[in-house]
Every structure is written in C-alpha cells, then in structure tokens.
C-alpha cells in the first residue's frame, strides 16, 4: 500500500520569500503524484501533477515540483510567494490508474506574512 | 460552465438522523468520489464509483451509504450509525483511466448537534 507524508504541518513565510513544501511517499509500484491547494471553506484545486517524463513539473500560480524517485520525494516550490498563496496544500499519490487509490497527505498550511 | 456542484454548503442535523449530501457533475466523468476532511487529517476516502450502478468502499465507509443511478449524480447518505459525522465532506470526479486527476466540488460542512 502507498502512503504520503507531508513533513511540515505549518509553514510561515514572508511575502516575496521562496518556499518549499515537502512531500515524501512510499509505494511498491510506480506512482503518479499530485499537489492540490485548498482555500478556506472551499474544495481542492489541482496545482500540478507528475505522470511521467520530465521530473520537473510546472504548475499554476508559479509553483513547480520535482519528482525524485531515489528519495521518494515530490517537494513543491515557489521562488517568490504572495499573500494570496496563503492556503493549505495537499500532496497526493496514486499507484497506477486504479481508481479510488488516490491517497492524500495531511496537508501543509502555508501562511504568507507581509 | 462545467463543474461539480455540492449542496448544501452548510448542513445542520440532530444526532440520530440520516442526512443526504448532494453531488452533481456535468463534466461527463465516469468516476466519482466522496472524501471526508477533518482538521489535521487530510482527506480520507469514503466511497468511490467507477461507473453507473457500481461503487466501492473506501477507507472509512462505515456509517455511510451511496448510490450511483445516474452518471451525473453521486449522493452520500450519512446514517445514524456514523459515530462522529461532523466534518467537511468533499465530492470529486475524474475521467476514468486516462487522466486520473480529480476535480473537486466546493464541499459541504455537516454539523450534527
């Protein structure tokens, strides 16, 4: 069975600073990886996804993530954050295309301060 | 516009009552899901359906029931057997097999008093 660990439950950062949200996964088979963002009292929106190919994935709102198979990681990065990036971010993993096996981490709350 | 609609956004019920949460999608997606979200717990899968008239239990199905009579609709019933039903419930859908990414509704916050 696969699992996802988001290493930080909260990340405070100042506006225009860089940020990295960490995600590690475990799986005995090949995986597909996702990052979602959730604003208060709303659903989740896909930021980016890794299915295959280039290990550096670019997403919306200036975010990017790098798939590292040897370290089983999929960390999310942004070089300069804005106040509007304040939200909760979820890493998710799917083992193959078996529906129902989209497993989420517990989330990281990003708080951007002026 | 295509999307997933959950209703209502807020729902209050008395303990011991069954309650049904609505989820409708017009994305022509085959697969639909229900997740429960609690603070600090991430999202946990309750039920999912790959096709009409078929659904599978997720990790925390006890105390919940679903139906999938139409492709567009996947209602979730929270029964009185669910010991701690107060939570934020999220419905999602995805294209079966080819894409995998899930599209989410805006959620229903259920409070049982």
């Amino acid at each position: 069975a696969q699992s996802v660990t988001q290493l930080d439950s909260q990340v405070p950062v100042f506006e225009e600073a860089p940020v990295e949200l960490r995600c590690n996964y475990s799986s005995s088979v090949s995986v597909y990886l996702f990052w979602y963002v959730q604003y208060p009292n709303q659903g989740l929106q896909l930021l980016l996804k890794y299915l295959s190919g280039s290990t550096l994935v670019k997403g919306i709102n200036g975010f990017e993530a790098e798939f590292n198979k040897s370290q089983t990681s999929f960390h999310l990065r942004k070089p300069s954050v804005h106040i509007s990036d304040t939200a909760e971010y979820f890493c998710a993993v799917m083992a193959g295309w078996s529906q129902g096996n989209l497993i989420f981490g517990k989330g990281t709350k990003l708080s951007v301060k002026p | 516009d295509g999307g997933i609609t959950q209703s209502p956004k807020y729902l209050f019920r008395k303990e011991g009552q069954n309650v049904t949460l609505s989820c409708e999608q017009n994305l022509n997606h085959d697969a639909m899901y229900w997740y429960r979200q609690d603070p600090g717990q991430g999202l946990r899968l309750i039920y999912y359906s790959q096709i009409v008239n078929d659904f599978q239990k997720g990790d925390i199905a006890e105390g919940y029931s679903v139906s999938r009579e139409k492709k567009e609709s996947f209602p979730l019933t929270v029964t009185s057997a669910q010991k701690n039903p107060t939570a934020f419930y999220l419905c999602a859908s995805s294209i079966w097999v080819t894409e995998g990414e899930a599209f989410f509704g805006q959620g229903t916050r259920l409070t049982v008093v």
Side-chain angles (χ1 to χ4, degrees), chain A residues 6-108:
Chain A
Q6 291 185 242
L7 297 158
D8 305 295
S9 59
Q10 297 188 50
V11 173
V13 65
F14 287 106
E15 193 174 18
E16 297 183 7
V19 70
E20 177 179 82
L21 306 183
R22 297 180 293 169
C23 173
N24 286 89
Y25 69 91
S26 66
S27 177
S28 57
V29 299
S30 296
V31 296
Y32 305 95
L33 296 157
F34 307 83
W35 274 99
Y36 286 85
V37 60
Q38 184 181 35
Y39 299 100
N41 293 313
Q42 293 189 25
L44 276 68
Q45 179 185 6
L46 182 71
L47 274 178
L48 49 79
K49 60 185 178 183
Y50 171 78
L51 305 181
S52 64
S54 173
T55 56
L56 183 63
V57 180
K58 293 189 184 297
I60 62 171
N61 301 341
F63 284 93
E64 64 180 31
E66 186 159 17
F67 170 57
N68 187 320
K69 188 174 181 180
S70 62
Q71 297 187 7
T72 60
S73 68
F74 190 56
H75 300 334
L76 181 70
R77 302 186 182 99
K78 186 169 183 178
S80 176
V81 294
H82 303 288
I83 298 287
S84 59
D85 292 323
T86 296
E88 189 158 20
Y89 292 80
F90 291 93
C91 182
V93 61
M94 177 184 288
W97 285 133
S98 177
Q99 298 295 336
N101 280 346
L102 185 60
I103 305 299
F104 285 85
K106 294 189 175 182
T108 298

